């Protein structure tokens, strides 16, 4: 019986190890509430200052993103709206958020058994962010940051309540969205790149913006407002919420 029990426990541990490629801890360090969102797994979670949310991401997860929503109000059924990052008026996101929203993107255990991950401003900026492996290693497996005062310095043409839109969202077209082949940086995308050199500033900004870590053995941490403060032009007190679902 002892052997069978041990075999069962070993099999269970092996199954868990096989099923999950990474644990991603999402922490809100902002002086206001952030409603974190995660797709295609996770959904959403209200995070007051100092709270964390742990997401277990399966092997092979791709086209995944984590972002923060601000200025949200949800009822007890998890329905409502957000000023930035709204995902169809629900707490539990199943689709992508409405720009502007700072994105942590990742694909696990892909080519050469590597995780590929980045911070993207292609959907604009709303919250400062750090995205990092919990145990950095050689090469491009290290912490990346986007913590500049982008909301406060946002060009007038891109500025919206609660954030700063990317030019693709505002103007569209090949020049800014790269929808019909190769394209290069523009003066407006350079505004983002100068302030957050680790992050994607336009859709084909791959060489300086994609990072990799060993797949299957690396865990990650996403922190909103890693410096513990919002930028000077972002309100410290967000509108009150009726959401009591995911405190």
């Amino acid at each position: 019986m002892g052997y069978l029990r041990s075999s069962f426990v070993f099999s269970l541990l092996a199954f868990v190890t096989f099923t999950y490629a990474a644990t991603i801890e999402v922490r809100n360090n902002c002086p206001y509430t952030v409603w974190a969102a995660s797709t295609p797994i996770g959904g959403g979670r209200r995070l007051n200052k100092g709270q964390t949310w742990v997401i277990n991401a399966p092997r092979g997860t791709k086209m995944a993103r984590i972002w923060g929503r601000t200025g949200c109000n949800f009822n007890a059924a998890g329905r409502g709206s957000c000023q930035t990052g709204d995902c169809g008026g629900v707490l539990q996101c199943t689709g992508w958020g409405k720009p502007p929203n700072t994105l942590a993107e990742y694909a696990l255990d892909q080519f050469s058994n590597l995780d590929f991950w980045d911070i993207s401003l292609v959907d604009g900026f709303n919250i400062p962010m750090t995205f990092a492996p919990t145990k950095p290693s050689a090469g491009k497996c290290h912490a990346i940051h986007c913590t500049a005062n982008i909301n406060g310095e946002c060009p007038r043409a891109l500025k919206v309540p609660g954030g700063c839109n990317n030019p693709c969202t505002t103007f569209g077209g090949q020049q800014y969205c790269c929808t019909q082949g190769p394209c290069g940086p523009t003066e407006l995308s350079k505004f983002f790149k100068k302030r957050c050199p680790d992050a994607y500033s336009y859709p084909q900004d791959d060489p300086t913006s994609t990072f990799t870590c060993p797949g299957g053995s690396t865990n990650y941490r996403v922190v909103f407002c890693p410096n513990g403060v919002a930028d000077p032009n972002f309100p410290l007190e967000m509108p009150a919420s009726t959401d009591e679902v995911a405190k």
Side-chain angles (χ1 to χ4, degrees):
M1 287 293 292
Y3 172 77
L4 292 176
R5 188 180 297 111
S6 298
S7 297
F8 173 77
V9 172
F10 177 81
S11 299
L12 181 62
L13 290 173
F15 174 77
V16 171
T17 301
F18 177 80
T19 302
Y20 295 113
T23 296
I24 304 172
E25 179 188 282
V26 183
R27 178 180 176 83
N28 178 26
N29 209 31
C30 298
Y32 49 83
T33 299
V34 172
W35 286 259
S38 173
T39 59
I41 55 169
R45 180 72 61 90
R46 172 177 173 154
L47 296 178
N48 295 325
K49 180 182 178 181
Q51 290 186 319
T52 61
W53 176 30
V54 176
I55 299 168
N56 291 312
R59 290 180 182 274
T61 299
K62 57 186 176 180
M63 295 184 67
R65 52 176 58 183
I66 296 168
W67 70 98
R69 295 168 287 174
T70 61
C72 300
N73 281 280
F74 294 105
N75 62 23
R79 296 189 176 277
S81 63
C82 298
Q83 185 181 56
T84 65
D86 189 82
C87 60
V90 294
L91 173 65
Q92 297 296 331
C93 296
T94 57
W96 292 355
K98 181 181 178 181
N101 48 313
T102 316
L103 297 174
E105 301 179 311
Y106 64 93
L108 301 178
D109 214 10
Q110 301 293 308
F111 306 109
S112 302
N113 296 319
L114 291 173
D115 297 342
F116 292 81
W117 52 284
D118 64 80
I119 292 176
S120 175
L121 304 181
V122 172
D123 278 5
F125 177 99
N126 65 335
I127 303 175
M129 177 187 289
T130 291
F131 192 6
T134 56
K135 294 183 179 180
S137 57
K140 300 191 76 174
C141 186
H142 58 79
I144 58 176
H145 313 273
C146 184
T147 58
N149 183 18
I150 288 180
N151 287 344
E153 299 173 357
C154 184
R156 183 182 300 273
L158 304 179
K159 195 171 185 62
V160 293
C164 186
N165 267 333
N166 187 277
C168 175
T169 302
T170 301
F171 302 113
Q174 165 65 12
Q175 179 183 9
Y176 297 114
C177 301
C178 312
T179 54
Q180 299 175 354
C183 70
T186 65
E187 288 306 310
L188 287 175
S189 73
K190 290 177 182 177
F191 162 80
F192 293 97
K193 197 66 175 179
K194 179 180 178 180
R195 289 158 179 79
C196 291
D198 291 336
Y200 270 85
S201 58
Y202 69 99
Q204 295 182 10
D205 194 9
D206 302 272
T208 61
S209 308
T210 300
F211 296 82
T212 58
C213 287
S217 60
T218 306
N219 296 317
Y220 298 91
R221 182 177 293 114
V222 174
V223 181
F224 302 125
C225 301
N227 297 330
V229 294
D231 71 70
N233 291 276
F234 201 96
L236 297 184
E237 296 296 330
M238 301 302 297
S241 170
T242 58
D243 166 34
E244 299 293 336
V245 177
K247 285 186 178 180

